[in-house]
Amino acid sequence: MNKITKELFFEETFNVYQNLYNRVYLRQSPLAELLVPNTNPKLKAQNLHSLLLKSINDMRPSPGAPVTSNEWRQHRLLVLRYVDGLEPQAVADQLAISRRHFYRVHKEAVEIIAEVLWESYIARGDVSVADVPKRANVQGDDHLTSLRAEVEHLTGQKSNQRCRLQDVVESVIPLVRIMAHQKGVVLDVHLESESIYFGVDAVILRQILLGIINHLVTLLEGGKIFITIEPEADTYQLRIVGHGYRTQTVDLTKLTTVNELASINQIVLYLAEQTAHYAEFRLQAPTVSPRAVLVVDDNEEVAQLFKSYLNKNDYRCMIANSGEEAIQLAKTMQPYAITLDVMMPDIDGWAVLQMLHNNIETRHIPVIICTVIGAQELALALGAHALLEKPVTEQVLIATLEGLGYPAVT
């Protein structure tokens, strides 16, 4: 049986909860061997997953505990986050707390579970209690708290976290190419032609990739670093492989911040394989589809202009040249947003806006009125989210769409 310090045990408990629905990660986690030993290897991930969910259920306070108590808040937070699968901000909204408060309560709750699991581990005699290091690591805890606060500050300024994977990879390569050239390392990049979007912030993903590639470059003397994108079940995986003469093995302690950054942002990152001349990292994150915008305008030139704006900014465009067509497409395609011209034959934009707003199937779709008529108060009163006066520039249109604050279509 492998042994583990209490500090690493606690750290890995946080990691397995962050990857609760990633069976590959759970199967490879040291906790799978420590907490569910003597289990069929094919069932290790499932059994660890079940144990982690049971641990949340076991935290449920007694019936006499006040519903406003911290115990109930900790339990409810874990249920919303890991059983119901809500994102941190959604959990914070449900509990009426700030995102910063969410991370503090989350840390407290997972530490309680980690303590219980640790006690069950040492009760089997796998480690001496006298040898257990203290959990308190003020510097490490402060570092993680600061990192989470910085991530919260960055992501909190953006309504939708999404980035095109190919763009992020391509932005990283020039930064590491000079150092790679000095070490005689060739960067071999093969990316899918089809756009792939990860539901994470581009700046954060960029820092993670820089950290991994930079570490591999420092280990190699000559050789190659291969970067490829491969399909994996219903998502995609980024493979970063260092191949050649290595001066030393991968030192995961030097990637602690990179791993923490990945964990905080629901990115699965792990060292998949390591040999004398080979080291492979794999990265996986939730994927999102390009957001679809329905452009409603009887002027084909304006519609095509909007389409060019949208395509350049990673939106998918659908066009309706009449009010009737717009209502049908809105019902069937459920776009992220609708841009709506007012002066159209047959059914004008105001009538279309009312129909969309009064229909249960379409009332949730934000509508942006685009017109030469300045009637903002009327537009807002009828349910529009914004009014833009024509001619509409690319910058104004994209800024308005990004500011809607609605989730991307997945």
Side-chain angles (χ1 to χ4, degrees):
M1 176 78 64
N2 295 326
K3 304 212 183 225
I4 189 171
T5 66
K6 188 176 184 182
E7 183 179 8
L8 291 177
F9 187 98
F10 271 60
E11 181 180 327
E12 185 58 20
T13 302
F14 277 89
N15 290 338
V16 291
Y17 271 110
Q18 295 289 349
N19 296 282
L20 185 60
Y21 293 92
N22 184 323
R23 299 307 169 90
V24 174
Y25 186 95
L26 294 183
R27 186 168 60 250
Q28 297 176 344
S29 168
L31 295 195
E33 180 64 27
L34 298 172
L35 297 176
V36 287
N38 306 319
T39 301
N40 184 326
K42 295 181 180 180
L43 299 177
K44 277 192 179 295
Q46 177 61 45
N47 289 347
L48 179 57
H49 176 89
S50 300
L51 176 62
L52 294 170
L53 289 179
K54 179 180 181 298
S55 297
I56 293 175
N57 187 60
D58 290 344
M59 277 188 69
R60 184 180 178 89
S62 61
V67 293
T68 56
S69 66
N70 200 41
E71 290 81 3
W72 267 111
R73 176 173 287 173
Q74 291 168 346
H75 175 257
R76 184 64 181 147
L77 181 146
L78 293 182
V79 170
L80 291 171
R81 181 72 184 93
Y82 297 115
V83 180
D84 296 345
L86 299 185
E87 294 298 315
Q89 187 59 59
V91 177
D93 292 342
Q94 287 267 359
L95 298 178
I97 59 177
S98 69
R99 191 156 175 165
R100 187 184 298 272
H101 194 185
F102 163 86
Y103 285 120
R104 186 163 63 250
V105 177
H106 176 271
K107 179 175 180 291
E108 294 169 354
V110 176
E111 282 187 338
I112 290 172
I113 289 179
E115 188 69 49
V116 172
L117 294 176
W118 173 255
E119 291 298 329
S120 71
Y121 165 53
I122 64 173
R124 296 199 305 269
D126 297 316
V127 65
S128 170
V129 178
D131 294 332
V132 175
K134 293 181 179 179
R135 166 62 185 153
N137 180 357
V138 176
Q139 184 177 0
D141 286 349
D142 285 347
H143 169 73
L144 184 55
T145 301
S146 299
L147 184 64
R148 283 178 171 156
E150 191 169 342
V151 169
E152 179 184 350
H153 174 73
L154 176 65
T155 59
Q157 299 179 42
K158 305 174 183 178
S159 58
N160 292 302
Q161 306 307 314
R162 63 195 299 272
C163 64
R164 184 174 181 269
L165 179 56
Q166 290 93 331
D167 290 342
V168 177
V169 174
E170 288 168 359
S171 73
V172 166
I173 298 305
L175 301 179
V176 296
R177 194 181 297 280
I178 295 176
M179 181 179 174
H181 179 73
Q182 292 172 344
K183 298 288 294 291
V185 176
V186 176
L187 300 176
D188 192 345
V189 183
H190 296 277
L191 304 177
E192 292 274 337
S193 57
E194 178 187 355
S195 292
I196 298 166
Y197 295 89
F198 274 178
V200 297
D201 184 82
V203 174
I204 290 171
L205 182 58
R206 179 180 162 108
Q207 302 312 308
I208 292 171
L209 296 184
L210 278 170
I212 299 169
I213 298 171
N214 181 65
H215 186 62
L216 286 176
V217 169
T218 61
L219 303 181
L220 292 171
E221 290 291 345
K224 281 188 177 183
I225 292 179
F226 300 90
I227 303 174
T228 59
I229 299 174
E230 296 184 355
E232 174 69 21
D234 57 350
T235 183
Y236 287 87
Q237 216 174 52
L238 185 66
R239 296 177 67 237
I240 306 171
V241 178
H243 189 273
Y245 176 74
R246 290 193 300 158
T247 57
Q248 53 187 308
T249 59
V250 171
D251 186 354
L252 293 178
T253 62
K254 293 183 179 179
L255 294 172
T256 300
T257 299
V258 169
N259 279 314
E260 289 173 348
L261 199 55
S263 179
I264 291 171
N265 290 277
Q266 314 302 310
I267 296 171
V268 177
L269 172 65
Y270 59 98
L271 180 63
E273 188 177 348
Q274 180 172 205
T275 66
H277 301 286
Y278 183 93
E280 176 181 343
F281 283 92
R282 295 188 184 184
L283 182 149
Q284 185 177 313
T287 55
V288 294
S289 301
R291 292 168 289 189
V293 175
L294 174 58
V295 174
V296 184
D297 202 307
D298 63 313
N299 186 324
E300 188 62 29
E301 289 186 6
V302 173
Q304 290 300 323
L305 179 63
F306 275 32
K307 182 177 181 179
S308 69
Y309 292 165
L310 294 166
N311 288 345
K312 281 193 291 182
N313 289 276
D314 299 327
Y315 286 87
R316 183 164 57 89
C317 179
M318 300 177 290
I319 295 175
N321 297 124
S322 69
E324 185 176 349
E325 185 183 6
I327 293 166
Q328 279 302 119
L329 279 175
K331 288 180 181 178
T332 56
M333 303 305 295
Q334 294 291 302
Y336 166 75
I338 298 171
T339 67
L340 179 59
D341 182 34
V342 169
M343 293 193 295
M344 294 188 297
D346 301 326
I347 308 175
D348 68 17
W350 300 120
V352 173
L353 178 59
Q354 286 183 299
M355 292 178 191
L356 292 170
H357 187 65
N358 292 332
N359 192 308
I360 193 171
E361 296 179 78
T362 56
R363 66 177 55 165
H364 64 283
I365 305 172
V367 177
I368 302 168
I369 295 291
C370 300
T371 178
V372 294
I373 302 171
Q376 184 170 348
E377 290 185 4
L378 175 61
L380 297 178
L382 292 176
H385 281 68
L387 182 142
L388 304 180
E389 292 191 22
K390 289 183 176 180
V392 180
T393 66
E394 177 181 347
Q395 183 179 8
V396 169
L397 176 61
I398 300 304
T400 303
L401 288 169
E402 291 295 320
L404 291 175
Y406 282 72
V409 178
T410 57

